[in-house]
Amino acid sequence: MDSTGPLRVLDPATWERINDLVGEALDGAPGDRAAFLATITPEALATEVAALVEAHATAESTGALLSPFEAVGTPEADHGDRFGPYRILGRLGAGGMGVVYRAARADGAFDREVALKVVRHAAPTLARRFARERQALARLEHPHIARLYDAGVADDGPLGGTPYLAMERVEGEPITAYAERHRLGMAERVRLLLPVCEAVAYAHGRLVLHRDLKPSNVLVSVGVGGKGLGIGNGIERTSAPPSSPQPPIPNPPSPTVKLLDFGIARLLDDTEAVLTRAAAPHTPAYAAPEQIAGGDVTTAADVYGLGALLYELLTDQRPPRPASGRPAAGAPSPRAAAPPGRSVSPDLDLVCRTALDPDPARRYASAESLADDLRRVLDGRPIEARAPTVGYRLGRYLRRNVGGVAVVASSVLLLGVIVAAYAVRLQAERDRAEARFEIAREASRAMLYDVHDAIAGLPGSTSAREVIVARSLEYLGRLAVEAADDPDLRLDLAGAYFRIGNVQGNPTDRNLGRPEDALASYRRGLSLLSTLPPLPDSTAARAAETEARLWEKTGVVIAHTVAPDSARAALDRAVAAQEHALRLDPAGPDRRTYLATAHINRADVDGHPYFLNAGRPDSALAGYARARAILQAPSEAEPSTFALRMLGITYEREGTLHRTAGRLGEAVAPTREALRLREQIAARPDAGADARRDVGISHEALAFLLADLDRPAEAAEAFAAAQAVYDALLAADTADVQAQRTVGIGALNSARHLAEAGIGRLEDAQRLATEAADRLGALARRAPDDARLRSQAEEARALAARLR
């Protein structure tokens, strides 16, 4: 390549082909590269690839950033030459991007030496971009990030007109070389990466990406003196290059990790000039698939880069790539690649493969999430990346909540022992049968009601709830064989079917996305109640309430999967049964709240726009008013959290109906009252995940109202606040289909607003629309009978396509 020639613009397809070939060459042994390059045709392409491979080799030895565009000749500076406001003190190294000099301010603005990187890229708009970006990048103040002090274009001296970067000068060696030279164990290698994750997370929080994470950009100090032998990126190495083996230091001092070149790729990605997305600076051996393909580069690309660093720390190898040069279709396994004597645990293997997943959506959501799982590995705790099996999730949940939920594990074991003992010895010990029966039954009821209901509001408990209810149902079923005529036992069984149906597929509860299974469970519960003999009032009230709740959830599932009108009969029966229970036992716990809930569910199906509804908004408003009147009726008892939650729902629903009818003034008060009340509820110590989700729903309702009031920027903030709540709930319980759906719908609502608001956030709108389309599409494929979900998925896909 003629390094003095003009900068040439290559089309994206050519850049992608060059990237592939460079990656393939770098993955091979150094001695085989010449033979490989000789096979590339045409000759011009081989020349491009050879130049980049050579530049990469230089970058690896000097730490300089490799840029996949043609280098432009840069005049050399002599000692004492001026370069902008800097005086050259010496040459430190060179790489694919440019030359690095030791320099100091010539104007006395500050008294420190810097590493001055001269950029071999003279795009016409680069000076303007540096002026825009350098202030933001200079504010990155983190103990593990080498500072960028200044950036600009020199206007004097032999290098006049050339862009430069003035960076903190740090002494150290690449992170992988440090780990190998000190023969660090697996735990020490993982700990070495944690500061890098922290630095990346810090920068992401300030909207700065790195986009070129690799060992030569992560330097570790060795704590001993002496000038380095090979210098680049402003780093003076204190150890010999890899080709000169050094004796190990068995007990190195505490290392200091510094991440270099943060934001430089952002500075150089000048899309206004000559670079396309495919040509944005990156190093092929460590780049994420979307970088190589020229797609959108987000924080997920840096998560991939961290995964690549982790892989090399664990195995002393780069993540494997197929012959095409693209990353492997499945994340590689460091367990298989680890050198002899170094054991990679299954959890650490999965952490690495999750970070390296070719699909950005399946990687860790953030650098902080990756760091959290690495800490869990070091502490011997269950990781979040583990495949979502019921057994693993239940075990992880119990281990996270040892103090409050240890009773679950002990109850399950005790329950199994009791029931097994009862079944084996029932016939042989008639005189003790009744006592054993009561013990087994009480243990089952404790599991079903006390333990299940105690954890139902906790994040991450969906799969644990399924295990608890299913086990209780199994034990109660065995007991029912021995006591088919026991009405209390049949009531317990009906309650078990109600709870397992909710976990299986109730769309208004945290569930596993199986609505047909839920309907079957509700119907089994109703069949148990249909043939009960006459009961005392207190027991009859309990039976009526259980029947009402079974009909209520049956109606909700039918409304979501069949049609709203088909659900009305079940919901009417729910209201009637709750009224009957209230008449039989007015003082029963939350009896009035359950009646109000039945009215709310029926009103939702009558005419709430967030659900498939029968188009009767006036009837819906009347239903919410009835529910609120029940909840606000005078009472000597302080309202429970459950009652306050239902009251908040009535305000939120009323505000939404006024807004959608165009009565914006009438919508303001109930919408704000709902948010105020819900934030108060969520702050209570007994508030669970549902209460926190309510806060997100209220932020979203307020966002819609602000948008209709022509306050788009405030609306965007409210949508973002809602989405933050939804994302946190999903992160806490990834098996929860309701949380998945809520995140998808929230992203769709926010994307729709940003696309239409005219506040200059179309890229955010496109990202959110794509996220919504992916998530809702996946859910719709799992629930083909859910017409509302299908409609939302189609809308998200259409919006994402329109915004591309």
Side-chain angles (χ1 to χ4, degrees):
M1 188 191 307
D2 180 4
S3 64
T4 62
L7 184 67
R8 288 180 287 125
V9 182
L10 299 180
D11 63 272
T14 303
W15 279 124
E16 185 170 355
R17 176 63 176 152
I18 289 173
N19 275 321
D20 287 346
L21 291 170
V22 170
E24 191 170 350
L26 293 174
D27 284 336
D32 297 335
R33 288 175 184 169
F36 171 77
L37 294 171
T39 65
I40 300 175
T41 57
E43 184 178 352
L45 183 64
T47 301
E48 299 276 1
V49 173
L52 284 174
V53 170
E54 180 182 0
H56 185 277
T58 303
E60 284 294 278
S61 62
T62 66
L65 176 71
L66 173 67
S67 300
F69 47 74
E70 184 176 356
V72 178
T74 302
E76 288 293 338
D78 293 325
H79 183 86
D81 276 342
R82 286 287 296 267
F83 186 70
Y86 295 93
R87 183 177 70 258
I88 303 300
L89 301 178
R91 188 173 185 272
L92 296 177
M97 190 183 85
V99 182
V100 184
Y101 297 99
R102 187 166 61 91
R105 291 284 295 202
D107 56 7
F110 55 80
D111 184 19
R112 70 162 64 92
E113 288 188 6
V114 300
L116 193 71
K117 181 172 290 188
V118 178
V119 182
R120 295 176 180 170
H121 173 38
T125 59
L126 192 60
R128 293 199 304 271
R129 187 175 183 87
F130 272 25
R132 286 199 307 268
E133 301 282 8
R134 65 183 175 185
Q135 187 173 5
L137 295 174
R139 286 200 297 265
L140 289 182
E141 297 187 22
H142 190 275
H144 299 297
I145 296 179
R147 291 285 305 277
L148 172 66
Y149 295 128
D150 194 12
V153 178
D155 55 6
D156 59 352
L159 303 179
T162 303
Y164 68 85
L165 307 163
M167 299 175 296
E168 176 184 358
R169 189 158 157 247
V170 185
E171 296 187 359
E173 61 184 318
I175 187 170
T176 49
Y178 178 91
E180 189 60 23
R181 192 164 71 89
H182 295 288
R183 296 181 180 173
L184 298 185
M186 203 62 80
E188 287 83 0
R189 290 168 186 259
V190 172
R191 290 192 185 95
L192 203 59
L193 189 67
L194 287 175
V196 186
C197 296
E198 293 168 7
V200 172
Y202 166 85
H204 286 178
R206 285 147 184 81
L207 306 181
V208 180
L209 306 180
H210 193 287
R211 301 199 289 188
D212 196 43
L213 293 167
K214 57 186 178 182
S216 58
N217 273 339
V218 183
L219 275 291
V220 185
S221 66
V222 296
V224 293
K227 295 297 182 182
L229 299 176
I231 304 170
N233 258 354
I235 304 300
E236 296 199 10
R237 298 177 186 274
T238 55
S239 63
S243 57
S244 302
Q246 294 287 306
I249 300 176
N251 295 302
S254 298
T256 299
V257 180
K258 285 280 187 176
L259 182 53
L260 315 180
D261 280 356
F262 226 123
I264 292 180
R266 176 180 175 179
L267 286 171
L268 296 179
D269 185 13
D270 192 355
T271 54
E272 296 177 66
V274 301
L275 295 179
T276 66
R277 281 178 176 176
H282 66 267
T283 303
Y286 300 93
E290 60 269 24
Q291 288 179 277
I292 293 175
D296 291 329
V297 177
T298 67
T299 56
D302 280 351
V303 171
Y304 185 97
L306 291 169
L309 283 173
L310 177 61
Y311 188 96
E312 189 161 344
L313 279 169
L314 301 179
T315 67
D316 300 333
Q317 304 176 44
R318 294 174 182 146
R321 306 160 68 92
S324 66
R326 295 179 180 276
S333 173
R335 296 190 76 193
R342 196 181 301 164
S343 175
V344 178
S345 71
D347 276 358
L348 186 54
D349 176 86
L350 185 56
V351 168
C352 190
R353 288 189 289 114
T354 301
L356 288 171
D357 198 296
D359 182 354
R362 291 200 296 264
R363 291 176 208 150
Y364 284 100
S366 65
E368 187 176 21
S369 298
L370 170 59
D372 286 344
D373 252 4
L374 289 174
R375 293 186 188 98
R376 290 185 182 97
V377 171
L378 292 172
D379 295 341
R381 293 181 289 131
I383 60 172
E384 293 294 333
R386 171 66 65 177
T389 62
V390 170
Y392 186 88
R393 287 190 178 279
L394 178 56
R396 185 185 69 200
Y397 179 80
L398 297 177
R399 293 173 74 175
R400 283 205 312 269
N401 299 274
V402 172
V405 193
V407 66
V408 175
S410 60
S411 296
V412 169
L413 293 174
L414 176 61
L415 185 57
V417 171
I418 292 170
V419 173
Y422 165 74
V424 170
R425 302 179 60 186
L426 181 63
Q427 296 299 323
E429 301 184 24
R430 292 285 185 178
D431 56 334
R432 301 174 63 186
E434 184 176 349
R436 289 181 179 276
F437 182 91
E438 288 303 320
I439 292 172
R441 175 179 162 181
E442 286 306 312
S444 297
R445 294 188 80 255
M447 287 288 294
L448 179 62
Y449 295 102
D450 299 338
V451 177
H452 170 271
D453 291 357
I455 72 168
L458 299 178
S461 64
T462 304
S463 296
R465 287 167 56 214
E466 182 189 31
V467 172
I468 291 169
V469 178
R471 189 63 58 85
S472 299
L473 191 61
E474 175 188 349
Y475 295 152
L476 287 168
R478 293 180 188 175
L479 295 176
V481 172
E482 302 297 330
D485 59 346
D486 186 331
D488 283 338
L489 182 56
R490 288 162 67 185
L491 270 175
D492 288 340
L493 275 169
Y497 280 118
F498 169 77
R499 283 163 173 75
I500 199 167
N502 290 344
V503 178
Q504 288 168 330
N506 169 29
T508 62
D509 197 353
R510 286 168 295 119
N511 69 92
L512 298 171
R514 305 199 303 265
E516 288 300 322
D517 291 345
L519 279 176
S521 292
Y522 296 146
R523 288 167 182 151
R524 290 190 189 100
L526 288 167
S527 69
L528 285 166
L529 300 177
S530 64
T531 56
L532 283 175
L535 302 168
D537 281 357
S538 59
T539 307
R542 179 184 163 212
E545 181 184 293
T546 303
E547 178 187 0
R549 298 176 76 185
L550 285 163
W551 279 120
E552 179 184 309
K553 299 307 182 185
T554 298
V556 169
V557 174
I558 290 174
H560 280 76
T561 58
V562 182
D565 285 330
S566 302
R568 183 61 190 249
L571 294 169
D572 284 345
R573 296 188 69 167
V575 171
Q578 290 289 11
E579 289 173 341
H580 182 52
L582 184 61
R583 286 193 299 271
L584 290 170
D585 183 18
D590 279 322
R591 193 78 75 203
R592 302 181 68 85
T593 305
Y594 283 125
L595 175 57
T597 303
H599 281 292
I600 290 170
N601 277 286
R602 188 170 65 178
D604 287 345
V605 173
D606 275 345
H608 195 280
Y610 288 1
F611 308 102
L612 286 173
N613 64 82
R616 295 191 290 266
D618 291 340
S619 177
L621 270 176
Y624 298 137
R626 280 192 293 272
R628 187 162 60 255
I630 293 168
L631 293 165
Q632 292 178 327
S635 173
E636 295 181 2
E638 183 180 351
S640 66
T641 297
F642 176 36
L644 291 175
R645 278 197 63 232
M646 294 303 106
L647 183 60
I649 284 177
T650 66
Y651 281 118
E652 175 255 313
R653 300 287 208 267
E654 180 184 349
T656 296
L657 282 173
H658 284 312
R659 178 186 64 78
T660 55
R663 299 186 293 269
L664 301 185
E666 295 179 62
V668 173
T671 301
R672 291 198 177 277
E673 176 61 16
L675 179 57
R676 183 199 68 78
L677 185 59
R678 286 171 163 180
E679 288 179 332
Q680 174 186 330
I681 296 166
R684 291 173 65 138
D686 60 342
D690 290 335
R692 290 190 286 277
R693 179 174 176 270
D694 288 345
V695 175
I697 291 172
S698 267
H699 277 300
E700 200 167 50
L702 180 61
F704 281 118
L705 180 56
L706 290 168
D708 288 349
L709 290 169
D710 198 23
R711 293 155 68 178
E714 293 175 74
E717 291 180 4
F719 276 122
Q723 199 66 13
V725 174
Y726 301 154
D727 287 341
L729 290 173
L730 179 57
D733 193 352
T734 55
D736 179 7
V737 172
Q738 183 200 35
Q740 296 172 27
R741 183 170 184 163
T742 302
V743 167
I745 294 172
L748 172 59
N749 290 335
S750 186
R752 190 192 301 114
H753 171 71
L754 293 177
E756 300 168 356
I759 56 176
R761 295 184 58 185
L762 291 180
E763 288 187 5
D764 290 337
Q766 198 276 332
R767 173 181 55 80
L768 287 164
T770 301
E771 177 186 347
D774 292 344
R775 192 174 296 282
L776 295 175
L779 291 173
R781 288 189 291 273
R782 291 171 55 186
D785 293 332
D786 192 329
R788 178 69 167 173
L789 186 56
R790 288 200 311 273
S791 173
Q792 290 163 337
E794 289 168 3
E795 180 184 357
R797 281 194 293 270
L799 180 60
R802 178 163 64 84
L803 291 172
R804 288 193 184 101

